[in-house]
Every structure is written in structure tokens, then in C-alpha cells.
Amino acid sequence: MTRPAVLIVEPDPTRRKELGRGLARFGYEVVLAEGEAQGRRFARGLGPAVIVADGAVAGFGDASIRDELRRATGTATRLMVLGEAEAGGDELPDDVLYLAAGGLQGAELVRRIRLVLVGWEIGLEPDGRLQSLVGDFSLTPALEVMRGLGRAVASGRVLLEGAEVVLERGEVIAVSAGTARGVKAFCRVGARRQGPFRVVLGRPGVHREMERDLKSLVIQAIEDRVAEPPNPKARLEVRPGPDFPETRLSPLGQRILSEGQQKPSIGALLDRLEATDGEILNELARLQELGVAAVREPEVGVRVVSDSTADLPARLAREHGIRVVALGVRFGERSFRDGVDITPREFYELLERGDDHPVSNPPTPGEFLEVYRALVPERDVVSIHISSVLSETFNHAKKASEAGARELRLGRERRHGGEPPVLEVVDSRQVSLGLGLLALFAARMANRGLPAPDIARRLRAMGDRVQVLFVVDTLEYLARGGRIGKAQAWVGSLLGIKPILGVARGEVVPVDRVRGGRAAHPRILALFRERIEPGRPV
């Protein structure tokens, strides 16, 4: 497969030759130029996808060449500038990648440039130390990552929580996910829809375990997906009738019922059987329809409810038994349920492409009451939600608990001879990651057997102690939403100002600001160091 064309503008003949030979070995079409005049001439004639230029070469370090090329060729060109010092790229635009090359040997410099090139090809960013590519499956789906690495003919590893995919020249040669290996493990990775991952390029250093081509693996992973997989901690119960004919069962169905005699968790069942998870879960659903099998949720005294602004990965919410209620999102006349009808990636695409600014709608009290009706008869509930300063979600949940108090017999009628049912609604005073962490903490406390009032009390005490800082890439959407004036947004964009925001007292507040995106993350880390007392546990 043809690699992107790369123009290298480098006055040092030794380094120019090293970079040219090194990148050519990976299949890139490399053009070498020794100075500005030759570089500009080659760039106008070839319209390369990428320019790698020494920062000392006039006309390339200030990124002006990109605008010239766009006018001349009509194509967008990426620019990577090589400099000597770590801080040498502070004045460059954020979309120009600066690579500190001082003291690097040729092979290491080629490795870092290659890492960035592969990242650009498949839509991933390098980490701060240029050791790996980083991403999240909610923005770049797992199978899209695999296909991209296949097109890039890449060798290396994709590392994610509990799993690893090994590639050699664009083909998958080994996969592990939990106890599974091979095709079963690849299907598990393909089912991941959220969560961080890393891509480390280099020789895999393992023997080939799989002979399937990448295309067939991707197709099988797509076919193996299950829309709503059960909680892996739930348990399988077998209820065969005395006259049930075994001839109606497939060999896999018979094996599931055999394993089910020991009442294994769903996670353990998936690990024990050789079939893919999708094949097992689809057969299990058929057994449930026949009435010979049932899936029982783990017995916990308290069930946790949250909302979609917690940004909890679906797999994590399932594993902890957290019920997530979706907010509504409206773009003009189009309405979606957050995390149900629209993914984060689709949301950002609509945000960038469309003229309509998104408007969120909290779940109605009726929607919350429906959730509480399903849960309260069996267990107590702690319902924790986005800050009441930022959304009406908490208030609607509170109205539902008050309106349904008589119907749900809250605090009035003993359940199965025990204590009266309890429903605690908590204002987290947080959003996104902060809310998600509190929901997880609540689920862990429930798993340890703490009662609902104690969990709610602890959550209220923790809300203001959770520290959340973030940086936005552009001020445009803050201006659209009325958070700042349009003039402020224009001036901020003009000056390259990046605001660092945080959550305090339940609302989003400005914390600091930096010039240029490169300074944002180091400043966030410095702010965290100032806020954390070294002698106290985190």
C-alpha cells in the first residue's frame, strides 16, 4: 500500500540521509531538500502530505509554507518542525508538531517521526514523550484502530485494560483479553466502545499465534457484538423442566446448561467456554426464552443510579451495577439520548460540522420514577447526579422520589419483613469525570455492605473534595453557549489563549489560562501538585 509522501528539509547532509533512508524502509515516499529554496520548489511541485523541516530553515519554522501550499496545490499538508531544545516550539501554532531532536541518534529520531506519521494516518496523538500513540475508543473505535494500523502496515502492540493486540506488518498475530486468546480475544477487544488505549510501535517479539487475515477478523468481531450484554458479575441459574427435550438444544446450549449447574457468574461462563462471547450470549438469550435458564443480578443491599453526564464507560457501569439514565441532547430539530442514540464521537462531529448549538434536556421526573419503580421493590437506591447548578437533572430526580414516596412506600412499609425501603437522591456538585468517580465510589461502598444513608452522607462530604481540571481546545463553543462573550472568544483565539477550567462549588469556573496548547497540560499538572497535600492519601 502506498505510504504518504514526506518532504524532508534538512541542511545537515548526514541527518538528511539518515532520515530519508530510515523512513523509506517503512514504505514512505521520501523527497529530500537541503534548504528553503529547494524545499519550497519541491513542496509546490509535489504537494506532500507531510513536511519534516529543521526549525532553523527560514520559512518552514513559522509554518507559512502550509498556507502557500494550500493555495498552490489545494491540499492540506501537515508540518513537523525539528528543533534542538525542549521548549523551542512554544511559539509555534498548536497544529504544528514540534519535535525536540537535539542529541537524538538517527534511529531514535526516525522512530519518533514514524510514530507521529502513523498517528496522523490513523487519527491518534502521540504522548508527551513520543513513546506511544494514545486514544480512547469512544472517539476512535477499536476496529477502526486495527484497520488503520493494517493500512499503515504497522508492527507493534495495542495495549488496553486487561488486553493486548500484537501486529506484524499490519496483520494481527496474537491477541489476549483476560483468559481468552486468539479470535475470541479479538472479538472482545472489538466490542470495546469506550476506554483508553496505547499503541506502541516496534518489533513484536512474539511468535505468530493466528493465521486469520485482518479483514476476516474485523468482520467476525462486528458480527459477534451483543447490544446489551449482561453484568459479568450476574449469575447463571438453570431451570430445566422434567420433560424438556435436549434435542432442541445446540451443543453450545447443552454446554451452557451443564456449566450452569454450578451457578457461575456470566464472566466466568464466558471464560470457561471456547466459543466467542457473542455466540455464548446469543445462545444464553435463546435458553432464557425457552425458560430453562435465568440471569440473576448480584445480591447487593443498595443499587446506584446516575446519569449520562458521568461519562461512565458502559462496561464499567455494568460491572459495578450502576444504572445510567440518559439526558436528552438536541441539535436544532434533531433529538438524541446521550450515550444511547449518539456517541461522543458523533456528538463532536455534529458540533464541528453543524450550525446548531447543542441543548441538553434533563430526564423527566417520570423517567426517574420509572427507574425507581424497577429497583426499589428489591433493594435500596442511591441516586447521584450532575450538579444542580449546571442542570435540572438532580431536581427532577428529587421530584420523582418525593412524588413516588407513597407509591414506593419509602420509609413506611417494611420490605419482606426487613427495614423500610430507602431512596437517597444526592447532588454530586460535580460533572463528567468527577460525577463518574463518585458513582463508582458509591457502588464500591454498596458492594462492601454500607447502607444507603451512610453512602449518601459520604458522597455529600466528598463532592467538593474531588478536584477536576480541564482545558478546552477552542473558545468557540463556550461563546456559542453564552459562557463567554463572542469578542472574548475572538481575542482568545487570536492570541492562542487556552483557558484551564475546573469545577468548584458545583459550577464550572475559570482557574487559569495559558498561551498555546502545549503549555496547558504541564500547567494542569502543576495546579494539581499545588492542590494535593503530599502527606494525605489520594
Side-chain angles (χ1 to χ4, degrees):
M1 183 175 292
T2 305
R3 319 285 330 116
V6 180
L7 170 62
I8 297 175
V9 185
E10 171 58 61
D12 184 307
T14 301
R15 188 155 79 170
R16 186 169 66 243
K17 186 181 296 185
E18 286 178 333
L19 294 180
R21 287 178 176 174
L23 293 176
R25 282 201 304 270
F26 290 110
Y28 293 99
E29 180 186 348
V30 181
V31 180
L32 304 177
E34 62 184 22
E36 179 183 4
Q38 191 179 56
R40 284 182 179 273
R41 187 168 69 253
F42 288 169
R44 285 192 295 268
L46 299 171
V50 179
I51 298 175
V52 179
D54 189 292
V57 178
F60 285 88
D62 63 5
S64 64
I65 187 67
R66 288 178 308 151
D67 296 331
E68 179 184 329
L69 286 177
R70 192 173 284 112
R71 290 192 299 270
T73 66
T75 60
T77 300
R78 298 268 197 170
L79 178 59
M80 184 188 313
V81 172
L82 307 181
E84 294 300 313
E86 288 288 343
D90 289 350
E91 298 303 317
L92 290 173
D94 289 338
D95 58 349
V96 175
L97 189 130
Y98 176 79
L99 198 161
L104 293 180
Q105 298 298 316
E108 175 60 15
L109 184 54
V110 168
R111 185 197 67 78
R112 296 190 182 197
I113 294 173
R114 156 76 168 160
L115 180 76
V116 174
L117 293 178
V118 172
W120 280 343
E121 287 183 68
I122 63 179
L124 299 178
E125 295 291 331
D127 63 29
R129 296 182 178 181
L130 292 179
Q131 297 300 310
S132 62
L133 301 171
V134 294
D136 192 286
F137 290 136
S138 63
L139 300 178
T140 313
L143 296 180
E144 187 174 308
V145 173
M146 303 307 162
R147 284 192 289 245
L149 292 170
R151 290 191 298 270
V153 199
S155 296
R157 300 168 185 268
V158 181
L159 305 172
L160 56 151
E161 182 191 358
E164 176 184 72
V165 181
V166 184
L167 299 102
E168 185 171 52
R169 296 191 59 77
E171 290 295 330
V172 175
I173 64 170
V175 190
S176 63
T179 60
R181 300 193 70 84
V183 175
K184 181 183 176 86
F186 187 86
C187 290
R188 283 187 176 182
V189 172
R192 296 283 182 97
R193 299 182 182 179
Q194 292 172 294
F197 65 91
R198 289 190 299 133
V199 178
V200 181
L201 299 181
R203 294 181 178 177
V206 301
H207 295 296
R208 177 180 287 271
E209 298 178 4
M210 303 171 61
E211 298 297 335
R212 295 274 296 275
D213 64 275
L214 180 58
K215 183 178 180 180
S216 68
L217 285 172
V218 168
I219 291 173
Q220 181 162 354
I222 293 172
E223 293 175 344
D224 199 61
R225 285 176 175 170
V226 175
E228 291 293 335
N231 181 349
K233 295 179 181 177
R235 295 208 166 269
L236 171 63
E237 289 186 2
V238 175
R239 299 180 301 185
D243 300 322
F244 187 81
E246 290 191 5
T247 54
R248 294 177 60 186
L249 298 180
S250 68
L252 178 56
Q254 294 178 24
R255 183 73 191 280
I256 291 173
L257 291 183
S258 175
E259 293 286 344
Q261 301 296 329
Q262 303 173 37
K263 296 186 177 181
S265 68
I266 298 301
L269 179 73
L270 296 177
D271 285 341
R272 289 178 191 174
L273 302 181
E274 294 180 0
T276 64
D277 292 355
E279 291 168 341
I280 297 168
L281 293 175
N282 285 326
E283 185 63 22
L284 177 58
R286 180 171 173 270
L287 295 176
Q288 289 178 271
E289 291 176 1
L290 293 173
V292 296
V295 175
R296 300 296 182 197
E297 287 291 327
E299 291 294 331
V300 292
V302 178
R303 186 73 182 271
V304 177
V305 175
S306 191
D307 60 72
S308 59
T309 68
D311 293 328
L312 278 172
R315 188 172 64 92
L316 201 59
R318 275 198 309 273
E319 289 175 356
H320 288 80
I322 300 171
R323 178 70 178 269
V324 177
V325 184
L327 271 72
V329 181
R330 192 173 72 251
F331 281 89
E333 299 300 317
R334 301 176 65 187
S335 296
F336 307 90
R337 289 172 297 165
D338 180 28
V340 179
D341 306 319
I342 187 169
T343 66
R345 181 184 186 183
E346 293 165 342
F347 176 88
Y348 291 125
E349 288 175 349
L350 284 173
L351 192 66
E352 292 174 357
R353 291 199 316 261
D355 296 326
D356 297 314
H357 188 76
V359 177
S360 64
N361 295 316
T364 65
E367 288 176 290
F368 277 117
L369 186 56
E370 185 177 343
V371 171
Y372 297 152
R373 282 182 185 136
L375 298 177
V376 167
E378 298 298 327
R379 54 183 64 84
D380 295 338
V381 172
V382 171
S383 196
I384 179 165
H385 299 287
I386 178 176
S387 168
S388 59
V389 180
L390 300 173
S391 170
E392 285 293 304
T393 299
F394 165 78
N395 294 328
H396 286 190
K398 193 69 176 173
K399 286 180 182 177
S401 70
E402 293 168 352
R406 176 172 296 182
E407 175 188 343
L408 300 173
R409 305 297 182 187
L410 298 178
R412 301 159 68 92
E413 185 175 286
R414 295 180 181 275
R415 184 196 293 123
H416 307 311
E419 294 297 319
V422 175
L423 169 57
E424 294 276 359
V425 182
V426 179
D427 180 355
S428 72
R429 297 173 65 81
Q430 288 288 340
V431 67
S432 192
L433 177 65
L435 171 58
L437 285 173
L438 290 173
L440 287 174
F441 293 156
R444 290 170 182 167
M445 286 187 277
N447 193 50
R448 294 202 304 266
L450 269 70
D454 285 358
I455 294 174
R457 176 177 54 79
R458 293 192 183 193
L459 291 174
R460 293 185 180 106
M462 294 167 71
D464 287 331
R465 302 208 316 268
V466 174
Q467 303 287 326
V468 174
L469 297 174
F470 61 99
V471 62
V472 293
D473 190 53
T474 173
L475 294 166
E476 175 187 354
Y477 305 113
L478 289 173
R480 278 203 211 176
R483 301 290 186 183
I484 61 172
K486 287 184 169 26
Q488 283 180 284
W490 182 79
V491 172
S493 300
L494 190 66
L495 299 176
I497 299 298
K498 300 290 184 183
I500 295 175
L501 308 174
V503 179
R505 300 173 299 280
E507 60 182 332
V508 176
V509 297
V511 175
D512 203 348
R513 58 183 181 176
V514 293
R515 178 79 177 273
R518 290 183 181 83
H521 289 163
R523 181 57 184 151
I524 284 178
L525 293 176
L527 289 168
F528 272 129
R529 290 190 189 98
E530 294 173 6
R531 295 181 176 205
I532 295 172
E533 298 178 37
R536 297 188 65 184
V538 177

